[in-house]
Amino acid sequence: MENLADAPAAGPAQDPAALNPAGLSPAAARALFRDGLVTPTAGWSAGYAQANLIIVPKAQAFDVLLFAQRNPKSCPILGVLDAGETAGPLLAGGDIRTDVPRYTVYEDGVKVADPTDISGYWRDDLVTFIVGCSFTFEAALQEGGIRIAHIDQGTNVPMYRTSVRCEPAGAMAGPLVVSMRPVPASQVADAVRITSRYPAVHGAPVHVGNPAEIGITDLGRPDFGEPVRIADGYVPVFWACGVTPQAAVMESKPALAIGHAPGHMLITDARDSSYLVP
Amino acid sequence: MENLADAPAAGPAQDPAALNPAGLSPAAARALFRDGLVTPTAGWSAGYAQANLIIVPKAQAFDVLLFAQRNPKSCPILGVLDAGETAGPLLAGGDIRTDVPRYTVYEDGVKVADPTDISGYWRDDLVTFIVGCSFTFEAALQEGGIRIAHIDQGTNVPMYRTSVRCEPAGAMAGPLVVSMRPVPASQVADAVRITSRYPAVHGAPVHVGNPAEIGITDLGRPDFGEPVRIADGYVPVFWACGVTPQAAVMESKPALAIGHAPGHMLITDARDSSYLVP
């Protein structure tokens, strides 16, 4: 199996593996992305919470916040930047327009670009929602002896649209999006137990096994991210995913909305442990 | 000590004690309030979650929802009724304008009335926020062997404005309001442990002992509710309170806002246990 940690000296200077990404501070990681580095962020800045983004005009902000309130497993809000604000306590000294490796821009619900900088799209009425990400509990899973396939295989986590509908809010409506991690049958209970202690970052799985039941016909063809190999005896375990609000944006079609590119997260200054409940 | 359970036959038919309030279904309790019964609701409809209300015009709704998101200990949102809606899954078959024993109406941040029915104030742009209430964990405290002074003494829970400022959101800013329960020193740890399992209804205390440190100069003069006797050896324990958004409304002065009267809660159809975390 490939593993980022196995090949630290193989790449050029821009190769993320050469940077020991797990050891970078959030500010250092954001600075690299600001300077143009593009990479999925799983495993980066160990111990710090990563986050999804959904950025909409103020006119749509109530619907988005209410959608998040009504769908807390998929849309746990960690912070909100007021209209026009580009920094905040979760990204001290940062700039939300440049500090994420890649973004996705939607106009009228259609993806029109995936830039590495959204300064050209910025408007003073844009409200930024910073949404918890399941990467936050991956270190806890690893500490619990559960390997993370997409980290071991050096790929982006696979994500799927499901047939489960979210609770709508105003114009916002759409399918639940899930991330998937294969877990040995003997460790599924541990995975549930460990992740349920992180409700602010998706918490316990929403579904264990039987992907067809939630409308996933082929695990090898994720809607976002990349497929992972699933070893014999492993069960696909599904967690609610912070790409969910982007799927709702595609349906609700605001004039403008901006998200992160799936798997390419905002690395925040918040410690993973700050989202742990007793 | 007085106790509601000790005097079931003493009052007239309208005396809440005669109704065995703990045994009433939420729908039956709401029907009594709709018909004009006015009483604090601590101890009513055992096993069902009670809730605070804050109702504002749609134009203020984003600020209120963001204030709640930023102050989750004092403003845990259990549900939101869209503009003009008067019922929802938390009050099946009910009517938010009549089903609370008493309301508080604010105009320009000033309390102008405390009616038992707000039908005359209703507008189609009013958005209702249903906010968790610490009455929800009182049964769990009692099961844990911790007596609840205001239930034993047959009074409304004492609530205090503190010198702690909430995180502001738009126009919404104000002090943290707390409820207080005296707890024997030997049981404070149990009270913390038990209530921390209910994060959706204020969770663990925000302060234990030393009321002066949070700006409370006289426990005998609460800002809302009624004082309770504090026996020797008991420590005042403070929990964030869902009256907090009303205090912020008084500061932010929207043209119209409506809350419940402190201690006179909405009794919802949700089970207390649905807010329990592992």
Side-chain angles (χ1 to χ4, degrees):
Chain A
M1 269 194 266
E2 293 175 90
N3 188 314
L4 282 179
D6 290 337
Q14 278 300 80
D15 178 356
L19 296 163
N20 182 25
L24 289 173
S25 74
R30 293 194 301 261
L32 285 172
F33 304 146
R34 194 180 311 143
D35 290 344
L37 178 66
V38 180
T39 175
T41 52
W44 279 60
S45 298
Y48 290 92
Q50 302 198 15
N52 302 272
L53 287 189
I54 186 77
I55 302 174
V56 296
K58 181 75 186 270
Q60 277 76 47
F62 179 70
D63 285 355
V64 170
L65 189 53
L66 185 57
F67 184 82
Q69 191 279 327
R70 289 182 174 163
N71 298 282
K73 288 211 72 153
S74 50
C75 311
I77 300 277
L78 305 185
V80 180
L81 305 184
D82 287 335
E85 282 188 356
T86 57
L90 287 170
L91 63 160
D95 188 324
I96 202 69
R97 298 169 296 188
T98 54
D99 288 8
V100 169
R102 188 180 285 288
Y103 301 82
T104 308
V105 178
Y106 301 90
E107 290 178 355
D108 300 317
V110 176
K111 178 178 162 179
V112 295
D114 56 355
T116 60
D117 178 325
I118 55 167
S119 300
Y121 294 92
W122 194 254
R123 303 173 3 184
D124 282 345
D125 69 336
L126 290 179
V127 177
T128 298
F129 297 91
I130 298 171
V131 175
C133 170
S134 55
F135 289 174
T136 300
F137 56 55
E138 289 184 341
L141 287 170
Q142 290 174 314
E143 281 165 32
I146 298 170
R147 298 190 69 99
I148 308 294
H150 59 270
I151 295 180
D152 285 347
Q153 298 175 26
T155 60
N156 193 354
V157 63
M159 293 161 271
Y160 307 84
R161 292 168 189 273
T162 70
S163 55
V164 178
R165 297 293 294 178
C166 290
E167 198 70 35
M172 287 280 284
L176 172 66
V177 177
V178 294
S179 63
M180 189 279 291
R181 291 163 187 79
V183 177
S186 64
Q187 291 184 306
V188 168
D190 286 339
V192 171
R193 181 180 54 76
I194 291 168
T195 59
S196 65
R197 296 182 67 201
Y198 291 90
V201 291
H202 304 305
V206 291
H207 200 76
V208 177
N210 198 355
E213 195 176 309
I214 53 173
I216 300 173
T217 51
D218 185 353
L219 288 175
R221 297 170 57 105
D223 295 294
F224 309 96
E226 296 167 85
V228 290
R229 292 187 299 277
I230 304 180
D232 282 350
Y234 280 60
V235 177
V237 179
F238 302 92
W239 280 267
C241 175
V243 172
T244 299
Q246 293 193 42
V249 155
M250 289 181 224
E251 282 198 24
S252 69
K253 305 188 198 311
L256 175 66
I258 303 171
H260 65 292
H264 298 65
M265 318 307 291
L266 172 67
I267 300 183
T268 78
D269 295 326
R271 303 290 308 200
D272 287 344
S273 56
S274 64
Y275 299 113
L276 178 66
V277 299
Chain B
M1 270 195 263
E2 294 175 89
N3 188 315
L4 281 179
D6 290 343
Q14 279 298 80
D15 178 357
L19 296 164
N20 182 24
L24 289 174
S25 74
R30 293 194 300 262
L32 285 171
F33 304 145
R34 195 180 311 143
D35 290 344
L37 179 65
V38 179
T39 175
T41 52
W44 279 60
S45 298
Y48 290 92
Q50 302 198 15
N52 303 272
L53 287 189
I54 187 76
I55 302 174
V56 296
K58 181 74 186 271
Q60 277 77 46
F62 179 71
D63 284 356
V64 170
L65 189 53
L66 185 56
F67 184 82
Q69 191 278 326
R70 287 182 175 164
N71 299 282
K73 288 211 73 153
S74 51
C75 311
I77 300 278
L78 305 184
V80 181
L81 305 183
D82 287 335
E85 282 187 357
T86 58
L90 288 170
L91 63 161
D95 188 323
I96 201 70
R97 298 168 296 188
T98 55
D99 289 9
V100 168
R102 190 182 284 287
Y103 302 81
T104 307
V105 178
Y106 301 91
E107 290 177 356
D108 301 317
V110 176
K111 178 177 162 179
V112 294
D114 56 354
T116 61
D117 178 323
I118 55 167
S119 301
Y121 293 93
W122 193 253
R123 302 171 5 182
D124 282 345
D125 69 336
L126 290 179
V127 177
T128 298
F129 297 90
I130 299 171
V131 175
C133 169
S134 55
F135 288 175
T136 300
F137 57 54
E138 290 185 340
L141 286 170
Q142 290 174 314
E143 281 165 32
I146 298 170
R147 299 189 68 98
I148 308 294
H150 59 270
I151 295 180
D152 286 347
Q153 298 175 26
T155 60
N156 194 354
V157 63
M159 292 160 271
Y160 307 84
R161 293 167 189 274
T162 70
S163 54
V164 178
R165 298 291 295 176
C166 290
E167 197 70 35
M172 288 281 283
L176 172 68
V177 177
V178 294
S179 63
M180 188 278 290
R181 292 163 187 78
V183 177
S186 63
Q187 291 184 306
V188 168
D190 286 339
V192 171
R193 181 181 54 77
I194 291 168
T195 58
S196 66
R197 296 181 68 201
Y198 290 90
V201 291
H202 304 306
V206 291
H207 200 76
V208 177
N210 198 354
E213 194 176 309
I214 53 173
I216 300 173
T217 51
D218 184 353
L219 287 175
R221 298 169 57 104
D223 295 294
F224 310 96
E226 296 166 87
V228 291
R229 292 186 299 277
I230 304 180
D232 282 351
Y234 281 60
V235 177
V237 179
F238 302 93
W239 280 267
C241 175
V243 173
T244 300
Q246 292 192 42
V249 154
M250 290 182 224
E251 282 198 23
S252 71
K253 304 187 197 313
L256 175 66
I258 302 171
H260 66 291
H264 298 65
M265 317 308 291
L266 172 68
I267 301 183
T268 79
D269 295 326
R271 303 290 308 200
D272 287 345
S273 55
S274 64
Y275 299 113
L276 179 65
V277 300

